[in-house]
Amino acid sequence: KIADVANQYYVPVAMHNVSSPVATMASAHVGTAIPNSLAVEYHSYELGWWGDLVEETVIEDGYIEIPEKPGLGVTLDMDTVEEHMVDGETLFDEE
């Protein structure tokens, strides 16, 4: 609704994104669904393992390719997720 109101006044919208590759892809999907999308902001806090969280490369040469198939288009790398979990947390059941 906010993007729609902004569009009525010719104001572009940029998704604020300081999250994982999964959320980055979700933000990109939102951007493709609104006519006044400008960009997806990207901050990974310089985590060396940010890109390892998913099997696919999310950002290539500053662009995110949105897949035509259903879903976000990324697959979690469960080994990386488990490696970087908060102490005391357990990995959810994959089934």
Side-chain angles (χ1 to χ4, degrees):
K1 288 183 177 183
I2 292 171
D4 187 44
V5 171
N7 192 42
Q8 292 175 25
Y9 294 94
Y10 308 102
V11 175
V13 174
M15 276 50 70
H16 177 64
N17 172 55
V18 291
S19 199
S20 71
V22 176
T24 300
M25 185 60 87
S27 295
H29 276 267
V30 170
T32 62
I34 59 175
N36 52 334
S37 177
L38 174 66
V40 173
E41 187 179 36
Y42 160 73
H43 298 281
S44 70
Y45 295 110
E46 299 180 6
L47 294 174
W49 48 271
W50 186 90
D52 298 336
L53 284 170
V54 293
E55 295 175 8
E56 300 79 10
T57 300
V58 174
I59 302 171
E60 249 183 273
D61 298 325
Y63 293 91
I64 300 173
E65 187 171 328
I66 305 300
E68 295 288 327
K69 297 177 183 175
L72 291 177
V74 290
T75 307
L76 280 175
D77 183 317
M78 299 310 287
D79 292 334
T80 303
V81 171
E82 187 171 29
E83 182 181 332
H84 295 285
M85 288 174 49
V86 174
D87 289 338
E89 292 295 324
T90 57
L91 190 61
F92 56 87
D93 188 5
E94 292 184 49
E95 294 179 29

